[in-house]
Amino acid sequence: MIQRTDEELVVSYRAGDEIAADELVRRHADSLGRYVRATGAMPGEVEDLVQEAFFRAFKALDSWRGDAPFRAWLFRIGANLTKDAFRRQKGRVVVPIDDHDMADSSDPEGEAGANEIEARLMAELARLPRLQRDVFLLRAQQGLEYSAISTALGTTPGAARVHYHNAVKRLKEKVQ
């Protein structure tokens, strides 16, 4: 079966094909969830933010002109919702107290080292300026091209490249 593009699915949805909407959600929900979580959404808010992003996207689908990828447009909606949620919290950061995954008993030293590096990376990622962090996550975690990143974040591809470069440089300096 030939997989339809996002653009074809949008056209089908606009024509009344609800299955096209299901496919768009199935295709992008997990990556959108990872993105909004990595940009600072609390774990308990991620699912709500993803649902709200899709709700708003489908409600405003006529405003999507197709000059940028649907995914980038959707991520921009998700980024805006995450910023709004952060503003509502007035910058408060709640650290959940959860049980962490058990370390692999076959290599406790390696696991401890990996956990330490991951913790430092996450801490430094949280300290990056918001635009640098968003560009880094969209590029490194989601694999988006700079043109899609610029659309998602309302900047230029050149600026996205600079923000990505600066984020990588700063993360390397702080984590090593």
Side-chain angles (χ1 to χ4, degrees), residues 137-155:
L137 291 169
L138 288 172
R139 181 79 175 153
Q141 184 186 60
Q142 302 301 326
L144 292 183
E145 298 295 326
Y146 291 113
S147 60
I149 292 170
S150 67
T151 299
L153 299 178
T155 187

Side-chain angles (χ1 to χ4, degrees), residues 11-147:
V11 170
S12 292
Y13 175 73
R14 285 178 175 162
D17 180 4
E18 293 293 325
I19 294 172
D22 291 343
E23 178 58 28
L24 286 167
V25 171
R26 203 171 9 264
R27 191 176 286 179
H28 299 293
D30 288 344
S31 58
L32 179 60
R34 284 189 304 273
Y35 173 68
V36 297
R37 173 66 181 109
T39 58
M42 298 307 301
E45 296 178 325
V46 171
E47 187 175 335
D48 291 340
L49 289 169
V50 169
Q51 288 178 355
E52 182 66 18
F54 277 107
F55 174 76
R56 289 188 184 189
F58 287 123
K59 186 176 176 183
L61 204 52
D62 290 335
S63 70
W64 180 64
R65 298 180 306 272
D67 53 351
F70 175 80
R71 179 179 170 120
W73 182 69
L74 180 64
F75 275 45
R76 182 174 192 151
I77 294 169
N80 289 339
L81 287 169
T82 304
K83 288 176 193 174
D84 292 345
F86 186 75
R87 282 187 203 112
R88 281 192 304 276
Q89 294 173 359
K90 295 181 175 63
R92 290 180 292 231
V93 176
V94 178
V95 179
I97 302 175
D98 294 333
D99 289 336
H100 294 289
D101 293 337
M102 297 299 292
D104 181 7
S105 60
S106 65
D107 183 15
E109 287 182 30
E111 185 68 25
N115 287 341
E116 180 185 329
I117 291 171
E118 179 184 13
R120 286 196 335 241
L121 178 62
M122 294 307 291
E124 288 306 321
L125 192 58
R127 288 185 188 102
L128 288 176
R130 178 169 283 284
L131 192 54
Q132 278 186 16
R133 180 177 59 237
D134 289 352
V135 168
F136 178 82
L137 291 169
L138 288 172
R139 181 79 175 153
Q141 184 186 60
Q142 302 301 326
L144 292 183
E145 298 295 326
Y146 291 113
S147 60

Side-chain angles (χ1 to χ4, degrees), residues 151-163:
T151 299
L153 299 178
T155 187
T156 65
R161 278 185 182 87
V162 170
H163 287 299

